[in-house]
Amino acid sequence: MKNSSLWLLLQKMRVPFIVIVVTYTIAIAGLISLDGIEVDGEIYRMTIFDAFYFVTYTATTIGFGEVPYTFSYPQRMWVSALIYITVIGWFYGIGSLLSILQDRLFISEIKKTSFRKKVRKIREDFFIILGYNNVTKKIVGKMLAQGYRVVVIEKNPDRANELVLENYVPSVPILEADIYDPKALELAGIKSKYCKGLVSLFENDNLNLKIAITAKILNSKIPLAIKSTTKHMTENLEDLGVEIIENPFEIISQQIQMLLTAPSLYKLVRWMHGRGDLRTTAFHLPEGKYIICGYGRMGHEIKNVLEKNNIEAVFIEMDATKKNTFSKKEQGEILFKDADDKDVLLQAGTEDAVAIIAGSKDDTTNLSLLSIARKINPNIVTIARENEIENQALFNYANINYVFMPSRLLIYKTIAALIDPIVDKFIAHATKQDEMWAKELLGILKAKVGDNPTIYKLFVDDQHALALTERIKRKESIKLETLTRSRANRDVFNPVVALLLLRKDELYLLPDMSEIILEYGDQILFASHRDAIEDIEYIAENIHELAYVLGEQN
């Protein structure tokens, strides 16, 4: 039955309904079988309708009096009895109904029915977010700001209520259910043509894998953004065909690599994620001895980067009870915390270290370690892992040189991969370049566009660039630089730089705008001055503006 709440109500009210019917039947049968006396003394018997009418208002304690005539004593004796029978029956029925209305299962079914209706009413692109926490809360807000709808599944009722209290506009439907339940995913619209992706960023890799398998079975075409913290799990997700695999520790290791060898590249990536502008000073990690506190998944990734760059490092495992979980070789290379923080840091040689990375799972421990390290070595560069977003004020106050926040990295990665895939592709290919390439690009952007360029995306299709596509269909050659001309003076080029052009299976990084001929279906990523974006849009969509910049009209 599609309406489970109605079915549940009917099922639970079956016995109370039978009780009311039986009491009414007994009361009515007694009244129609007893003799009454009319005003003129004639004997009469009540009709079924009269008896039903009288029992109805008597059982509900309304009481309009004796109808249609004054009752005889036998009738009054029967009415005295039926009042108790029917009123008790009604009380039982009403009590049962109130109990059902407070029943968790019934309330859950009512919410499911409401949720299903809300999801079905969505007639625009939306994403399914599994779990509602500090990370997904930021993702929900950013997706709504970008004009997308969001549907959330959360098992914890307190967190679900927290989302309701946020009062998002437009509203965000939320379902309290197991996030890996196939029925819950179907209710959330995973099979809908408007569903553009699903996000699962739980700490438990096995749970994320289970969700990925379930989602791919239900809809193999839906893009998935899944968190993975190990290479083994990443391989499993790749085998499933998961499009977006997010390993925060791998991202951190990539950032450390950039901070060591290509700080300008890191500055470029930060700007692409909307963090700062091109005036921000590039942070450069020094060369020398490093102290790494925490040898978990993040510690392993950092070790690989430091070894790759031939940097000396001392690793400290903050939980000495884990010693037996490491190989004998690793036990010989790692210091295990068996004393207070100061003794361990002194033993690791903090006095002559150039940097310390506090990468444990506990924010208090990380802050404490860096504070002690600064007392031992005031010149040491401090780097911290911030685990909880709500602790950001503490880390800001601590004046740490650099903070890695895995949760924030997941937010930026998810938004870029799902909402701005062309931006994600640019970042992926840009991070493969070197410091010289990044420095040159930053120089071009500053000189041509300014310190704070705006990212703009153009799709060469009928919906976004009708004027262009009409000419392309007529086999006319339109160069990419056409879009960068000024509508006020076609001989002047606007401050615009093409960062990336996607064409089917081809990718052009920093394409030559004077050489590239546009084709239908091209996706272009620009870095532009804000005022120039309007010119690009008009030229792409308006046949007269396009004709002007092509020199066909004055």
Side-chain angles (χ1 to χ4, degrees), residues 525-537:
L525 181 68
F526 293 106
S528 167
H529 190 279
R530 190 178 300 275
D531 295 337
I533 293 175
E534 185 177 283
D535 280 5
I536 297 175
E537 291 175 340

Side-chain angles (χ1 to χ4, degrees), residues 416-460:
L418 287 176
I419 296 180
D420 294 320
I422 190 171
V423 173
D424 191 55
K425 287 184 183 296
F426 174 78
I427 292 173
H429 285 79
T431 51
K432 296 176 183 178
Q433 309 302 315
D434 57 18
E435 170 69 1
M436 185 62 67
W437 179 89
K439 191 172 286 188
E440 289 179 1
L441 176 56
L442 289 175
I444 293 171
L445 290 172
K446 283 184 177 182
K448 196 166 186 179
V449 185
D451 291 326
N452 193 19
T454 299
I455 297 297
Y456 177 71
K457 304 173 288 293
L458 177 67
F459 295 86
V460 183

Side-chain angles (χ1 to χ4, degrees), residues 287-343:
E287 293 184 3
K289 180 180 176 180
Y290 279 66
I291 307 294
I292 316 298
C293 302
Y295 194 64
R297 293 166 296 184
M298 178 175 164
H300 280 81
E301 294 287 350
I302 293 174
K303 181 182 179 183
N304 293 335
V305 173
L306 297 181
E307 287 181 346
K308 178 181 177 182
N309 291 276
N310 298 315
I311 292 177
E312 180 187 358
V314 177
F315 287 85
I316 303 172
E317 172 51 52
M318 307 309 297
D319 187 356
T321 60
K322 292 183 179 180
K323 186 173 183 178
N324 293 330
T325 64
F326 296 97
S327 66
K328 288 187 177 181
K329 180 184 178 183
E330 288 177 321
Q331 290 180 19
E333 297 174 344
I334 303 170
L335 289 177
F336 292 90
K337 182 182 174 183
D338 54 5
D340 62 33
D341 294 340
K342 185 175 182 180
D343 291 340

